[in-house]
Amino acid sequence: MPQSAEKILDHAPLFREPEYRQMLAEKKLNFECPHPDQIVTDQGEFTKTWEYREKNLAREALVINPAKACQPLGAVFAAAGFERTMSFVHGSQGCVAYYRSHLSRHFKEPASAVSSSMTEDAAVFGGLKNLVDGLANTYQLYDPKMIAVSTTCMAEVIGDDLHSFIENAKDEKSVPRDFDVPFAHTPAFVGSHVDGYDGMLKGILEHFWKGQERTEAKGTINVIPGFDGFCVGNNRELKRLLDVMGVSYTFIQDASDQFDTPSDGEYRMYDGGTKIEEVKRALDAEATVSLQYYNTRKTLDYCGQVGQATASFHYPLGVQATDEFLMKISALSGKEIPEAIRLERGRLIDAMADSQSWLHGKKYAIYGDPDFVYAMARFVMETGGEPTHCLATNGTSAWEAELKELLASSPFGKDAQVWAGKDLWAMRSLLFTEPVDLLIGNSYGKYLERDTGTPLIRLTFPIFDRHHHHRFALMGYQGGLRVLTTILDKIFDKLDRETSQTGVTDYSYDLTR
């Protein structure tokens, strides 16, 4: 074997060594019962055809690589945005390990969450004892200020009632009677992570607001960011804009510090987050604004029920979307948009104009959460690009209609297709039959990039195979500049690869572009 103390190989080059190539070949031949190579090749070619595309898109009973996650993941992320809050998932340990690993692999930070550790006996007799003991352990071991409880499939299938279970736990003194334990039922077999986020956020607000008297504070605004893998950069950028405007606001569910703790010798299980007292006072806000409508539908309805004005956006990215967000904030707060922000807007437009010749007419396939896909399609059209395929596995018919209306408003969207409820295997057929120049999504798109040759731009959660993207904003004018630069870099990198041989593919000896 080629490994030695003096020459340690990473697994990628290690498995290309002759010994491993032989071992893997023998494993395939002797244990995998493979079909002949020609049959595999022929079937692979068939999956690239229009005939197969029609069969693929007609699928109803099978989902292959969906561009979404399950509800409890959204609930765990939501809880991470509040002061000293421990997420408690009523279900099995394996499920909770998935939520922690998914968040920690994206943010490259520890993601704390605990489990009631339900096993087979709890599935038969119910998980009350698990929750009672689990809350007691969580309260004693981790010293939280709040414990936010959500559920997995197992708890939901057997019908465990969180409200009564939590009351029983308090009766048994697992936690003090006045300790805050908001909850949300988040069945993983329906909806997606955006629904889990919405349910948990509504549960937390309802826990603190229900039965309280509201005294409206004019000009004050609650801002809800939604489930956002770029919350570290986005939240800080948006707070900067609001501070420059002089707006009185509360950022509800702010996970930017929790997922960006410094290395200074101190471990922080909890960091930042919206303070509990701020959540309580947020009831008095004149308005609540959501940055991602499809992440906060139930929450916005509840805010409206308590008497607040509400407004929502679809991930304010680019010129028009940021314009609309800031003008709404200005109207609600009575604060003018200062010249410094107007200059930022002009600089983004100038950058887009500088690069227009490289962006005009480029075709894109975009996938991800509904608000993100809407925002990215809108920004692409601002640059003169064409969002050819727009796919959201957790997209609804209402989202599909809304996006089609947006696309019809621009000549760059006239040939666009919207795919609600489809998965990334469907996207593969779309890319083979109607190729595009660029693919925008998350790390799971790398297999589409390998298979179809479509360059992938990673701009949404989760991003596992690149580091620190989430630390930079996508929202606002500065975020738009970041996205613009990222797209251009991908275009120029591809051009460099295609013109790398002087006098063969590089006839103009390109240096300046």
Side-chain angles (χ1 to χ4, degrees):
M1 293 295 179
Q3 291 279 41
S4 70
E6 290 75 30
K7 183 184 178 183
I8 302 297
L9 295 178
D10 180 66
H11 71 280
L14 179 66
F15 289 127
R16 292 198 292 268
E17 294 292 321
E19 297 92 334
Y20 282 98
R21 286 183 178 276
Q22 181 180 351
M23 180 187 72
L24 294 171
E26 290 177 352
K27 173 180 175 292
K28 179 178 180 180
L29 180 64
N30 297 322
F31 298 103
E32 294 182 7
C33 303
H35 289 287
D37 290 344
Q38 189 58 51
I39 292 178
V40 174
T41 299
D42 291 345
Q43 189 63 30
E45 290 302 310
F46 172 65
T47 64
K48 302 175 183 179
T49 64
W50 277 89
E51 181 184 355
Y52 179 78
R53 166 179 162 154
E54 297 307 313
K55 297 177 184 293
N56 191 5
L57 294 177
R59 273 186 295 121
E60 294 181 357
L62 175 68
V63 177
I64 304 173
N65 202 5
K68 67 170 186 174
C70 60
Q71 283 205 49
L73 175 69
V76 171
F77 178 82
F82 293 90
E83 174 191 19
R84 295 190 67 83
T85 297
M86 178 58 73
S87 185
F88 184 106
V89 185
H90 185 43
S92 69
Q93 290 185 7
C95 293
V96 182
Y98 157 66
Y99 314 138
R100 289 198 303 260
S101 65
H102 224 60
L103 292 170
S104 64
R105 288 168 179 169
H106 173 83
F107 289 108
K108 305 298 184 269
E109 292 281 348
S112 298
V114 298
S115 164
S116 59
S117 300
M118 292 175 68
T119 53
E120 291 86 348
D121 58 341
V124 175
F125 300 109
L128 174 59
K129 187 176 186 306
N130 296 67
L131 189 137
V132 170
D133 293 344
L135 285 179
N137 290 337
T138 303
Y139 181 75
Q140 293 294 330
L141 290 173
Y142 303 116
D143 189 28
K145 199 165 185 176
M146 179 167 75
I147 300 174
V149 183
S150 55
T151 54
T152 66
C153 298
M154 183 188 296
E156 289 296 323
V157 167
I158 64 177
D160 282 358
D161 182 348
L162 289 184
H163 175 70
S164 64
F165 279 21
I166 291 168
E167 289 300 307
N168 273 305
K170 289 186 174 182
D171 289 341
E172 296 191 26
K173 296 183 172 49
S174 294
V175 296
R177 171 55 59 182
D178 60 351
F179 186 78
D180 295 312
V181 189
F183 67 89
H185 284 275
T186 53
F189 45 78
V190 295
S192 73
H193 57 286
V194 302
D195 301 294
Y197 177 95
D198 193 10
M200 179 52 75
L201 189 60
K202 178 179 180 289
I204 291 172
L205 295 184
E206 193 170 22
H207 172 81
F208 289 108
W209 293 0
K210 189 174 183 179
Q212 302 300 310
E213 185 177 347
R214 179 172 180 268
T215 304
E216 184 173 299
K218 287 290 185 183
T220 58
I221 301 171
N222 299 326
V223 179
I224 303 174
F227 189 105
D228 184 12
F230 280 72
C231 65
V232 173
N234 281 337
N235 290 7
R236 291 170 181 170
E237 173 61 17
L238 290 169
K239 285 188 282 187
R240 182 189 70 83
L241 290 171
L242 296 173
D243 289 339
V244 170
M245 289 179 65
V247 175
S248 176
Y249 68 92
T250 298
F251 231 84
I252 293 182
Q253 199 278 313
D254 180 11
S256 56
D257 289 340
Q258 179 64 41
F259 290 122
D260 191 29
T261 58
S263 288
D264 56 3
E266 177 187 353
Y267 170 64
R268 296 166 174 81
M269 180 171 286
Y270 312 103
D271 199 14
T274 308
K275 295 185 180 302
I276 303 302
E277 290 304 313
E278 292 177 339
V279 179
K280 294 177 180 178
R281 290 196 300 271
L283 172 62
D284 298 331
E286 180 179 356
T288 291
V289 172
S290 167
L291 303 182
Q292 298 190 71
Y293 169 72
Y294 289 100
N295 286 236
T296 52
R297 287 165 286 178
K298 293 180 181 177
T299 302
L300 285 178
D301 286 345
Y302 178 68
C303 292
Q305 291 169 15
V306 301
Q308 297 175 352
T310 61
S312 61
F313 301 89
H314 298 302
Y315 208 88
L317 185 164
V319 180
Q320 284 185 305
T322 305
D323 289 352
E324 291 172 4
F325 169 70
L326 292 176
M327 287 189 291
K328 187 63 176 182
I329 293 293
S330 177
L332 291 170
S333 66
K335 302 291 185 179
E336 292 291 326
I337 301 173
E339 182 63 18
I341 294 179
R342 296 181 191 275
L343 290 174
E344 290 183 20
R345 180 183 190 274
R347 290 172 187 135
L348 173 58
I349 294 173
D350 180 66
M352 293 165 68
D354 289 344
S355 306
Q356 187 272 340
S357 62
W358 292 102
L359 297 166
H360 182 85
K362 287 288 188 290
K363 294 181 181 293
Y364 297 80
I366 306 166
Y367 68 91
D369 290 338
D371 293 290
F372 171 79
V373 175
Y374 185 101
M376 194 57 62
R378 190 178 193 182
F379 180 71
V380 160
M381 290 192 295
E382 286 183 338
T383 68
E386 301 174 15
T388 305
H389 304 297
C390 300
L391 183 149
T393 307
N394 48 359
T396 63
S397 57
W399 167 79
E400 184 175 345
E402 190 175 10
L403 182 51
K404 284 182 177 178
E405 183 178 353
L406 170 72
L407 295 167
S409 69
S410 168
F412 299 111
K414 63 182 176 62
D415 295 325
Q417 301 173 80
V418 181
W419 305 96
K422 299 301 181 184
D423 53 36
L424 294 186
W425 188 251
M427 177 65 87
R428 178 181 180 274
S429 283
L430 300 175
L431 294 178
F432 271 124
T433 52
E434 294 182 88
V436 298
D437 297 297
L438 296 164
L439 174 66
I440 296 178
N442 58 29
S443 285
Y444 288 103
K446 72 186 299 177
Y447 303 107
L448 293 173
E449 181 179 40
R450 290 176 180 177
D451 208 4
T452 69
T454 312
L456 170 66
I457 302 173
R458 297 161 176 82
L459 287 173
T460 191
F461 179 91
I463 299 175
F464 295 153
D465 58 340
R466 299 291 186 272
H467 289 206
H468 312 305
H469 288 214
H470 64 277
R471 300 178 192 270
F472 300 94
L474 304 185
M475 294 185 186
Y477 303 123
Q478 294 288 356
L481 185 58
R482 165 78 178 176
V483 174
L484 181 75
T485 304
T486 302
I487 293 173
L488 286 166
D489 281 350
K490 182 64 71 170
I491 291 171
F492 293 139
D493 284 344
K494 181 175 184 290
L495 187 58
D496 281 341
R497 287 194 302 272
E498 293 173 348
T499 59
S500 60
Q501 293 178 275
T502 303
V504 179
T505 56
D506 182 10
Y507 294 100
S508 55
Y509 307 101
D510 255 340
L511 177 63
T512 303
R513 289 178 171 148

